[in-house]
């Protein structure tokens, strides 16, 4: 029985191999789509790991700082740092924007980190592949390798220019955008920086307002204009918890006394996976279903065509007394062999193509195993049409030719 299927495949090996290769490219796309989803989840987990935080303190009733905008005063961290169970608290800002490198724009997440020692203050890049950490309070940056910059390159963020002093790896946002770390004060300025005309018009409006420009209070106007040109806000406060303290209890205390929203690591994972990338996950799932149906259709058509080409041979087999079970097994084995060839081609093509995608593609063994089993099931089901047609062949066709 095995020899019968094998000899038939060798007889038309060219058509069989090329069909398997075409099916393999389609299966390779399917594996890459699954890898894109895995990569999105891994980007979200990398974002949380890189923050070095146990708790995220954000604006009340928001899902910030990653899923929604969040804005809190930059002096709140002092009170949080003094609360029981808090080891460290640090301000942080996140701003996704186009960072200019020469004549090229790079989509990046600009992260403003508070001053302090690396490892002690959350938010800093945990390791570098080249260069050093920022030591100055202005105009230095640490960038992810995915930005394409090198040590010493100049990056334009708003109207300021930053020198890249360090490089890191896999520091990305939940969308896969590479991070650029700059000092907190510079990031606060960049987040709400206005152009010169807007600043001038704002000052004119303030000056024309009699409430802020009183003749008897000469310093009031300058004080108001100074407050309008500064940004005393951050997006979140990253909190680390002391050993031996329960993060849930620390979070509850912050919510009670600071009147802010606090998320734990588990809650932040639910926000990133369950809300931020949920729509993309459903869309990828729909693509996987469509690709599975297309694959099943292709396999069914090819096996049906191969079976139709050997109707006379099947009639001869039935005429000499070959059992229907043997004929059905032959067709089933051909279909499974087509699936195995296709999966091998798809796995190889997906592995080599994944690094060239702009987004991170994570291929995990469990997805490959599940994909292989699904391909075998699809091929087995697709062969049923050809088996049904083969079993209805009249042995007399071998004579009547």
């Amino acid at each position: 029985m095995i020899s019968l299927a094998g000899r038939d495949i060798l007889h038309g090996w060219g058509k069989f191999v090329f069909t398997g290769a075409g099916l393999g490219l389609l299966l390779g796309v399917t594996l890459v789509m699954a890898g894109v989803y895995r990569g999105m989840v891994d980007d979200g987990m990398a974002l949380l790991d890189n923050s070095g935080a146990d708790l995220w303190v954000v604006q009340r009733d928001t899902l910030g700082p990653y899923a929604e905008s969040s804005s809190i005063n930059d002096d709140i961290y002092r009170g949080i740092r003094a609360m029981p169970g808090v080891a460290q608290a640090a301000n942080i800002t996140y701003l996704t924007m186009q960072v200019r490198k020469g004549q090229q724009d790079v989509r990046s997440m600009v992260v403003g980190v508070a001053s302090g020692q690396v490892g002690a203050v959350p938010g800093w890049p945990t390791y570098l592949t080249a260069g050093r950490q920022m030591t100055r309070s202005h105009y230095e940056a640490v960038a992810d390798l995915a930005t394409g910059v090198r040590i010493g390159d100049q990056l334009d963020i708003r109207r300021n220019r930053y020198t890249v002093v360090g490089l890191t790896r896999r520091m990305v946002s939940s969308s896969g955008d590479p991070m650029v770390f700059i000092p907190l004060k510079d990031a606060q300025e960049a987040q709400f920086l206005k152009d010169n005309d807007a600043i001038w018009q704002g000052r004119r409006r303030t000056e024309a307002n009699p409430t802020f420009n009183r003749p008897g209070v000469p310093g009031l106007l300058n004080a108001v204009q100074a407050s309008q040109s500064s940004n005393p806000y951050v997006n979140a406060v990253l909190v680390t918890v002391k050993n031996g303290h329960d993060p849930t209890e620390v979070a509850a205390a912050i919510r009670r006394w600071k009147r802010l929203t606090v998320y734990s690591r588990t809650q932040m994972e639910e926000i990133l996976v369950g809300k931020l990338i949920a729509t993309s996950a459903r869309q990828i799932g729909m693509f996987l279903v469509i690709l599975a149906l297309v694959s099943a259709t292709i396999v069914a058509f090819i096996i049906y065509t191969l079976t139709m080409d050997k109707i006379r041979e099947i009639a001869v087999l039935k005429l000499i007394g070959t059992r229907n079970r043997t004929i059905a097994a032959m067709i089933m084995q051909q279909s499974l062999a087509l699936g195995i060839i296709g999966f091998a081609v798809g796995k190889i093509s997906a592995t080599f193509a994944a690094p060239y995608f702009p987004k991170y593609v994570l291929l995990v063994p469990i997805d490959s195993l599940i994909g292989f089993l699904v391909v075998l099931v699809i091929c087995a089901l697709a062969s049923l049409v050809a088996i049904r047609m083969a079993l209805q062949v009249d042995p007399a066709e071998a004579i009547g030719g």
Side-chain angles (χ1 to χ4, degrees), residues 64-84:
Y66 309 121
E68 289 182 1
S69 60
S70 167
S71 179
I72 58 178
N73 288 93
D74 59 4
D75 59 352
I76 290 178
Y77 81 98
R78 296 188 180 94
I80 296 175
R81 184 183 292 176
M83 298 189 68

Side-chain angles (χ1 to χ4, degrees), residues 6-179:
R7 289 188 177 185
D8 187 66
I9 291 174
L10 291 176
H11 178 71
W13 67 269
K15 181 189 297 185
F16 204 84
V17 170
F18 282 115
T19 301
L23 177 63
L25 295 178
L26 183 62
L27 295 177
V29 174
T30 305
L31 292 176
V32 168
M33 292 295 293
V36 168
Y37 170 73
R38 294 286 189 182
M40 293 169 61
V41 175
D42 190 75
D43 285 341
M45 298 303 103
L47 175 62
L48 299 183
D49 292 337
N50 296 335
S51 69
D54 300 316
L55 300 174
W56 286 258
V57 182
V58 298
Q59 181 180 342
R60 190 172 183 180
D61 299 327
T62 67
L63 296 177
Y66 309 121
E68 289 182 1
S69 60
S70 167
S71 179
I72 58 178
N73 288 93
D74 59 4
D75 59 352
I76 290 178
Y77 81 98
R78 296 188 180 94
I80 296 175
R81 184 183 292 176
M83 298 189 68
V86 174
Q88 186 59 266
N91 290 325
I92 195 147
T93 64
Y94 297 102
L95 175 62
T96 301
M97 58 178 295
Q98 298 294 126
V99 174
R100 179 169 291 275
K101 173 197 169 187
Q103 300 299 320
Q104 181 182 4
D105 286 339
V106 181
R107 185 71 173 175
S108 305
M109 173 179 275
V110 177
V111 183
V113 294
S115 59
Q117 295 182 350
V118 180
V121 178
W124 282 70
T126 54
Y127 67 94
L128 300 180
T129 59
R132 60 173 175 82
Q133 295 283 2
M134 296 175 289
T135 57
R136 298 179 180 178
S137 58
H138 295 285
Y139 312 127
E140 287 188 345
V142 173
D144 189 89
L145 285 170
T147 57
V149 300
R150 294 178 296 180
I151 300 295
D153 285 351
Q154 302 290 318
L155 295 177
D156 293 329
I157 301 176
R158 294 291 191 253
R159 289 202 300 263
N160 295 326
R161 179 163 293 180
Y162 297 81
T163 301
V164 177
V165 298
L167 296 176
T168 184
R169 183 189 297 273
R170 283 298 291 156
M171 299 288 179
V172 295
S173 69
S174 58
S175 301
D177 298 322
M179 287 183 172

Side-chain angles (χ1 to χ4, degrees), residues 270-389:
E270 292 176 355
I271 291 174
L272 288 177
V273 178
K275 294 181 172 61
L276 200 58
I277 65 175
T279 302
S280 299
R282 288 194 294 268
Q283 186 171 0
I284 291 175
M286 288 298 298
F287 274 114
L288 292 178
V289 172
I290 293 173
L291 290 173
L293 293 176
V294 172
S295 301
T297 303
I298 292 176
V299 173
F301 176 76
I302 294 302
I303 295 300
Y304 182 82
T305 302
L306 293 175
T307 304
M308 286 293 295
D309 291 341
K310 49 180 178 288
I311 287 294
R312 185 180 182 87
E313 288 79 1
I314 293 175
V316 172
L317 290 175
K318 301 185 76 171
L319 184 65
I320 62 177
T322 304
R323 292 178 296 180
N324 288 338
R325 184 173 59 186
T326 302
I327 298 175
M330 177 191 69
I331 298 174
M332 179 72 72
Q333 288 173 4
Q334 290 178 343
S335 180
L336 294 177
L338 184 63
I340 293 173
I341 294 174
F343 180 80
V345 174
K347 176 60 177 175
I348 295 173
S349 62
T351 301
F352 282 96
Y356 296 98
F357 279 76
K359 278 187 173 292
Y360 181 55
V361 178
L362 178 61
L363 302 176
V364 297
I366 186 64
D367 287 343
S368 299
L369 178 60
I370 293 175
F372 179 69
L373 296 177
V374 170
V375 167
L376 294 182
V377 171
I378 289 176
C379 291
L381 295 177
S383 66
L384 296 179
V385 177
I387 291 174
R388 183 174 181 274
M389 186 269 295

